[in-house]
Amino acid sequence: MDANTFAALGEPSRLQMVGLLRERPRSVGDLAEALSIRQPQVSKHLRVLREAGIVEAEPVARRRIYHLRAEPFEQISVWVHTFEQQWEARLNALDTFLHATGEPNRDRRARP
């Protein structure tokens, strides 16, 4: 897991750009219009995302069309999954303990 990925995604405008690029590839102008920020600012943010390996640009006529790369998001998914496995093991151990001690099983949805 590359910490640069999280650092790049940690800025709100860049995170919004990733959300827009998730929908479809876009040009700098498209992103600037959607986010209501100036094109130089968008270019600056895209440079950070590109250096972190999150986006790639493809030249189309006189424009550059940006799209997301799958690899960083696959790495994030694998990393998050390790936490899911750890929490599931802990909850299973708690369930086993509660059954062993006779604690009644409570349904959280039934609480007010």
Side-chain angles (χ1 to χ4, degrees):
M1 186 72 243
D2 187 355
N4 290 332
T5 302
F6 286 113
L9 294 173
E11 203 284 327
S13 294
R14 289 194 287 266
L15 195 57
Q16 286 180 303
M17 288 179 188
V18 167
L20 290 169
L21 292 171
R22 183 179 53 197
E23 296 170 0
R24 62 179 171 85
R26 295 174 189 259
S27 68
V28 172
D30 292 342
L31 290 167
E33 183 178 327
L35 297 173
S36 298
I37 58 177
R38 297 174 2 154
Q39 286 191 8
Q41 291 175 300
V42 171
S43 295
K44 179 181 168 187
H45 289 305
L46 286 170
R47 187 184 73 233
V48 173
L49 292 171
R50 190 181 67 243
E51 289 173 357
I54 296 170
V55 299
E56 285 180 334
E58 183 177 332
V60 176
R62 293 175 44 184
R63 301 184 321 167
R64 296 177 67 81
I65 304 299
Y66 287 84
H67 62 89
L68 296 177
R69 294 183 64 241
E71 292 82 5
F73 298 99
E74 291 169 353
Q75 291 174 356
I76 290 171
S77 178
V78 168
W79 186 71
V80 168
H81 186 65
T82 62
F83 288 94
E84 290 173 352
Q85 291 174 327
Q86 187 177 20
W87 275 104
E88 189 170 315
R90 288 179 180 180
L91 291 173
N92 286 338
L94 177 62
D95 188 50
T96 300
F97 173 77
L98 292 175
H99 278 90
T101 60
E103 182 73 23
N105 194 6
R106 296 183 179 159
D107 185 0
R108 291 180 155 214
R109 291 176 284 183
R111 294 183 189 175

